[in-house]
Amino acid sequence: MKISENVCPVFDFKKSVIRLGKEKSVFRLVQGKDSWVVISSPSAVHILSKFTGQLNLKDIVTELSQQFNVPYAVLLTDIQEIIAPLVEQRILLLDDNPTKCTNSLALQVIAPRLRGSLHIDLTEVCNEKCVHCLADKDGKTLSTSIVLKTLKEAAMSGITEVSFSGGEALLHPDFWQIAHCAKQYGFAITLFSNGLNIDDEYADRIADLHVETVRLSVYSMDDNLHDKITQVYGSLKRTLLAAKYLKDRCVPVFINCPVMKDTFKSAKDVWNYAKNEGFGYNLDPCIQPTRDGRASNDDIKLSLDEFKTITEIMFPGEMGHNVEPNRLICAAGSGENFYINAKGQVTLCPTMNQFIGNINETSFLTILDQDNLTPQCAAITIDNLEKCNGCPVRKACQRCHARALRDTGKLNGCSPEDFAHAVARKEIMQKRGVWKN
């Protein structure tokens, strides 16, 4: 693709995920997870960081050809080839006139490597009182200044996606400032919410952020059952109305449905609702104990037969397994994803109760640099997992290091819950005739 020298290249920051790296840079349209454009060139960052809409391509090539002593024509051809897929995806826009880009923070950050996601609980404050809620109940809220600093450092570390949750993320007093900062740094944004605060105005503001998705919690399509879980009268109607407001604005919606004893029989109704509306969905049969240990939630968990029923709905095909030789057993060992709670404590996922630092005391970059938990998780293999080698349900196991630590006190232990669920999955696979010893 030959691109005119007179156009001014500028990134569409609202609709794109952008992260420049020393070894490679990545780009994709928000809501287009299969449309990644990867530029594997250490020199590309010098080119791409110039695309702020203020210079035309001719000026950029002239400046860089002199800086790197490369013939103008050669560099122009190279740049045209590099940016062609970005133009085709409309990640990079070409304007005939200079335009000042106000969202250029992402171009000022060059990461040494690229990573996956950061999940931040902005606050423990919530306007629902869900009976199964994992969050601590001491009302902590992260300071805005700490969150903004952490977002910058997360971008510098190469993280490309950020999720905001709580509590109820929208109840953070500076949520919109935080969300716009995340967009300026080039993150794809996911919002976890109960939807109670999402009216026409909030839906407009969320749509303007071009978020990846809004994940709403729906427990039943029966008002009485849903509201019994949230302990807020009328909450189902308000959540479904929020979903409608968002859908009307083409904001992708994902329905989370943690399935409990009281809502088991109506879970299929939530599944049908989400499918009919064109929403993403997840029926989650794994109810976790609270993070602070105040409740095991055993009294609301499904029986194994009920667990099997929900699992069969969610996985009509092959269910997969992760306890195998030469395979990263749990994403906690990947070094790709991190979680920060509303107290500022940093760990590898929301289930993990071992922390690697606190952003209120230490910079996020320093915490990552001193992280010794990820290597511990990455080193766990089939050979050093207790009980796994000879386990009859290993091929049906989807073990979690965090649950193992929580239930046994050891990262390489065997969580009774994981084992029970593996037994249930094996029975499903046997029934389908796909189990292999």
Side-chain angles (χ1 to χ4, degrees):
M1 176 189 291
K2 189 172 182 179
I3 298 169
S4 168
E5 300 168 64
N6 296 317
V7 295
C8 300
V10 60
F11 285 109
D12 187 342
F13 284 90
K14 281 196 170 183
K15 297 182 181 179
S16 304
V17 177
I18 299 171
R19 186 65 66 236
L20 304 185
K22 289 183 178 178
E23 298 300 323
K24 63 181 179 180
S25 301
V26 297
F27 310 84
R28 70 171 165 84
L29 287 174
V30 171
Q31 305 158 25
K33 290 195 172 184
D34 297 326
S35 63
W36 282 101
V37 177
V38 180
I39 299 177
S40 299
S41 168
S43 62
V45 295
H46 301 288
I47 300 166
L48 300 168
S49 61
K50 301 290 184 183
F51 294 167
T52 61
Q54 299 175 58
L55 299 173
N56 63 27
L57 193 55
K58 181 178 179 180
D59 291 337
I60 294 170
V61 176
T62 299
E63 179 184 335
L64 293 177
S65 65
Q66 294 171 354
Q67 182 178 344
F68 296 105
N69 196 26
V70 178
Y72 179 95
V74 172
L75 186 57
L76 175 61
T77 300
D78 288 347
I79 292 177
Q80 288 174 331
E81 291 176 356
I82 286 174
I83 67 177
L86 299 173
V87 175
E88 289 173 0
Q89 295 267 14
R90 292 194 61 78
I91 292 168
L92 184 67
L93 307 178
L94 303 176
D95 201 310
D96 291 333
N97 300 302
T99 57
K100 186 174 182 180
C101 174
T102 58
N103 294 338
S104 61
L105 291 179
L107 301 185
Q108 299 171 23
V109 173
I110 300 177
R113 58 166 289 191
L114 298 176
R115 302 177 191 260
S117 65
L118 174 63
H119 185 116
I120 307 177
D121 286 348
L122 294 176
T123 180
E124 293 169 356
V125 176
C126 192
N127 46 5
E128 290 186 335
K129 302 174 184 177
C130 297
V131 297
H132 65 294
C133 182
L134 304 182
D136 295 353
K137 297 301 180 185
D138 43 12
K140 297 292 185 181
T141 293
L142 286 170
S143 76
T144 302
S145 60
I146 290 291
V147 176
L148 298 182
K149 178 174 178 285
T150 300
L151 287 174
K152 179 179 180 179
E153 292 176 345
M156 293 168 65
S157 77
I159 287 172
T160 59
E161 302 179 17
V162 64
S163 300
F164 295 122
S165 185
E168 171 55 46
L170 290 171
L171 293 181
H172 189 286
D174 294 315
F175 171 79
W176 299 108
Q177 180 185 356
I178 290 169
H180 281 288
C181 178
K183 183 56 70 175
Q184 288 178 333
Y185 275 118
F187 291 104
I189 300 172
T190 293
L191 171 62
F192 287 73
S193 176
N194 55 39
L196 299 196
N197 277 35
I198 300 178
D199 54 13
D200 267 315
E201 178 195 349
Y202 271 35
D204 283 339
R205 297 177 78 172
I206 292 170
D208 188 55
L209 286 169
H210 290 91
V211 298
E212 184 85 22
T213 186
V214 177
R215 298 177 72 108
L216 299 173
S217 297
V218 176
Y219 305 103
S220 172
M221 299 308 294
D222 181 307
D223 295 72
N224 292 328
L225 287 176
H226 176 96
D227 295 355
K228 180 181 177 182
I229 299 298
T230 66
Q231 301 187 75
V232 174
Y233 177 77
S235 58
L236 176 62
K237 286 184 172 63
R238 292 166 67 183
T239 298
L240 297 184
L241 188 57
K244 180 183 182 303
Y245 287 142
L246 295 168
K247 182 181 179 181
D248 288 346
R249 291 158 177 80
C250 299
V251 176
V253 174
F254 189 102
I255 300 298
N256 285 325
C257 179
V259 187
M260 290 160 265
K261 281 190 176 297
D262 283 350
T263 60
F264 166 70
K265 292 182 179 179
S266 62
K268 190 75 176 284
D269 295 334
V270 179
W271 182 71
N272 285 326
Y273 158 75
K275 286 180 64 179
N276 291 337
E277 291 292 327
F279 299 153
Y281 57 87
N282 180 41
L283 304 182
D284 185 1
C286 300
I287 301 300
Q288 307 290 345
T290 62
R291 295 188 189 121
D292 60 9
R294 69 182 183 276
S296 67
N297 285 336
D298 287 342
D299 57 331
I300 59 176
K301 291 180 182 177
L302 301 181
S303 68
L304 279 184
D305 283 341
E306 291 168 336
F307 173 88
K308 284 195 292 185
T309 298
I310 299 302
T311 301
E312 286 191 273
I313 293 172
M314 280 304 301
F315 299 97
E318 187 175 345
M319 288 179 290
H321 46 266
N322 62 4
V323 183
E324 284 298 292
N326 305 314
R327 186 170 181 170
L328 182 68
I329 290 172
C330 175
S334 68
E336 293 290 310
N337 310 307
F338 296 89
Y339 163 73
I340 302 175
N341 66 23
K343 294 179 176 64
Q345 296 169 308
V346 183
T347 188
L348 309 184
C349 73
T351 309
M352 184 70 74
N353 61 6
Q354 182 172 326
F355 300 100
I356 60 176
N358 190 309
I359 58 171
N360 291 314
E361 303 165 359
T362 309
S363 76
F364 184 65
L365 285 172
T366 300
I367 291 170
L368 295 189
D369 187 54
Q370 298 176 350
D371 169 24
N372 61 4
L373 182 57
T374 294
Q376 291 180 59
C377 292
I380 296 175
T381 67
I382 187 68
D383 295 321
N384 56 29
L385 278 170
E386 296 179 1
K387 304 180 181 179
C388 278
N389 264 311
C391 180
V393 296
R394 190 188 81 202
K395 289 184 178 292
C397 185
Q398 296 180 3
R399 89 177 305 277
C400 163
H401 296 338
R403 282 196 295 268
L405 179 64
R406 180 194 72 201
D407 294 346
T408 72
K410 294 178 287 188
L411 285 168
N412 65 345
C414 176
S415 162
E417 184 174 28
D418 277 348
F419 180 80
H421 290 169
V423 170
R425 291 190 195 96
K426 177 181 178 180
E427 292 174 1
I428 295 171
M429 295 166 77
Q430 286 176 321
K431 185 174 78 171
R432 294 176 179 176
V434 296
W435 176 259
K436 296 179 182 179
N437 289 318

